[in-house]
Amino acid sequence: MNGYIFNIQKFCTNDGNGIRTVVFLKGCPLHCLWCHNPESQKLKPEISFSEERCIHCGRCEKLCPKGCHKVSPTDHVFLREKCDGCGKCAPCPAMELIGKSVSSESVIAEVLKDKVFYSSSRGGVTFSGGEPFFQFEFFLELLKLAKLNSLDVCVETSGYCSEKQLVSAAQYIDCFLFDYKLTDNSLHKRYVGCDNEIIIKNLHTLNGLNKPVILRCPIIPNVNDNTAHFKKIGEIANYSDCVKEVQIEPYHSFGEAKYKDLGRVSEYNNPISVTAPTKECWLNEIRSFTNKKVTLA
């Protein structure tokens, strides 16, 4: 079975226990305004173009079968509306093809190259995105193959999927890295693009299945950095036996440049730098509402 991924990152230590390989699947049903991986949002491959790296050689114009590039000695116009992501222009320092179609077998074969490190560190594979459930059949095949090869499996998810899909996949998953973004449903619709009822319901489902969950909470300045939200995080952690730990993910601006290279504009117009003392204040306030472990992701 084939699906779309945009990266396989090795020797990761922040996405589950031990040393892990993280497989990033393309496509996401949500639209978080602060998203730091905008290249993950669209399902199909797309071109990232850096104007700063372009030397106006005109090679891309010759290679592109769709006529998407118009290059002069002083200017480079990229007609994105004509681009189908074929990647023929990408052998260039200014161009990068984001995403590719791969087979589930080839993905697991790549993951297994580092199996010795998983064994020695109690690590494994983590599927991330985008949203892995967005390509459900492909994702499910990856899970089954991972388990056939005795891999420890973590999944980083927004929790936005059907209950049927969640239950089907859960039997192959050892730990969920489960996002909890906003408490207020109207704000969730505004900043994430959907309501949070399905997400909360799916967390209850995982609790019923007794599946270990690390609750991951992006904290965004002037969006959800407030006591009401911190208290709700603590309450959810307290009444959900499945939640073993709470991790906060303070906003960072590392993804800002990606929007420009993808021909988009970041919709989060408040890129405040989060200081270490601020992060510590957030941690301490959430700790005051829960007896679960609270750490930085």
Side-chain angles (χ1 to χ4, degrees):
M1 183 177 294
N2 276 37
Y4 293 99
I5 68 169
F6 67 95
N7 195 14
I8 296 180
Q9 191 171 337
K10 301 193 174 189
F11 292 93
C12 299
T13 57
N14 295 317
D15 299 286
N17 292 329
I19 296 171
R20 311 191 73 83
T21 295
V22 181
V23 179
F24 293 88
L25 280 73
K26 226 171 176 309
C28 183
L30 307 184
H31 189 76
C32 302
L33 264 64
W34 57 81
C35 180
H36 62 270
N37 281 334
E39 73 275 27
S40 73
Q41 295 171 358
K42 295 183 179 181
L43 177 62
K44 295 297 179 67
E46 56 190 320
I47 294 292
S48 174
F49 165 54
S50 172
E51 293 184 30
E52 290 78 10
R53 295 181 181 178
C54 180
I55 60 173
H56 304 97
C57 66
R59 184 183 181 195
C60 57
E61 187 172 10
K62 296 175 182 177
L63 292 173
C64 179
K66 298 287 187 178
C68 300
H69 302 278
K70 304 298 179 184
V71 184
S72 73
T74 58
D75 194 24
H76 184 156
V77 177
F78 181 18
L79 304 173
R80 288 185 178 274
E81 66 276 9
K82 300 177 67 174
C83 180
D84 62 3
C86 72
K88 292 182 180 179
C89 65
C92 166
M95 302 284 178
E96 182 182 2
L97 179 63
I98 306 293
K100 60 182 177 179
S101 175
V102 295
S103 70
S104 52
E105 291 86 355
S106 68
V107 171
I108 298 302
E110 187 64 30
V111 170
L112 287 172
K113 290 179 181 179
D114 293 316
K115 191 173 183 180
V116 62
F117 298 107
Y118 314 146
S119 301
S120 61
S121 68
R122 299 179 65 185
V125 61
T126 298
F127 296 105
S128 185
E131 170 51 63
F133 280 90
F134 193 67
Q135 298 185 67
F136 180 68
E137 297 300 332
F138 177 59
F139 173 48
L140 189 62
E141 183 71 11
L142 289 171
L143 294 176
K144 291 177 179 179
L145 289 174
K147 277 304 173 189
L148 280 175
N149 287 279
S150 303
L151 292 172
D152 182 88
V153 176
C154 288
V155 171
E156 186 171 15
T157 177
S158 66
Y160 193 78
C161 62
S162 73
E163 184 179 19
K164 181 179 178 181
Q165 289 176 335
L166 186 70
V167 172
S168 296
Q171 60 188 305
Y172 306 105
I173 298 170
D174 297 292
C175 182
F176 284 82
L177 309 177
F178 194 100
D179 283 1
Y180 181 69
K181 303 176 190 293
L182 280 158
T183 296
D184 185 282
N185 196 27
S186 62
L187 291 179
H188 203 280
K189 291 178 181 178
R190 175 182 172 187
Y191 287 106
V192 179
C194 69
D195 63 40
N196 58 10
E197 292 178 4
I198 291 175
I199 294 167
I200 299 299
K201 182 180 178 181
N202 281 336
L203 184 59
H204 291 324
T205 297
L206 292 179
N207 198 48
L209 294 172
N210 197 29
K211 280 291 179 178
V213 169
I214 295 176
L215 198 65
R216 284 196 157 177
C217 306
I219 307 299
I220 314 302
N222 296 326
V223 175
N224 62 0
D225 57 335
N226 56 72
T227 297
H229 182 57
F230 293 160
K231 183 178 180 180
K232 189 63 176 180
I233 290 171
E235 290 176 354
I236 286 175
N238 289 339
Y239 68 65
S240 301
D241 292 336
C242 65
V243 175
K244 307 306 178 185
E245 181 179 344
V246 175
Q247 294 182 348
I248 71 166
E249 300 176 308
Y251 172 79
H252 62 72
S253 59
F254 300 156
E256 290 294 314
K258 296 179 182 179
Y259 285 92
K260 180 182 177 184
D261 291 349
L262 291 168
R264 303 179 209 163
V265 177
S266 173
E267 296 180 60
Y268 178 60
N269 297 317
N270 192 20
I272 297 172
S273 177
V274 180
T275 64
T278 298
K279 295 175 186 178
E280 193 61 32
C281 286
W282 291 346
L283 287 168
N284 289 333
E285 188 167 4
I286 295 171
R287 286 168 182 153
S288 72
F289 296 117
T290 181
N291 55 8
K292 302 288 178 73
K293 183 180 180 181
V294 183
T295 63
L296 282 172

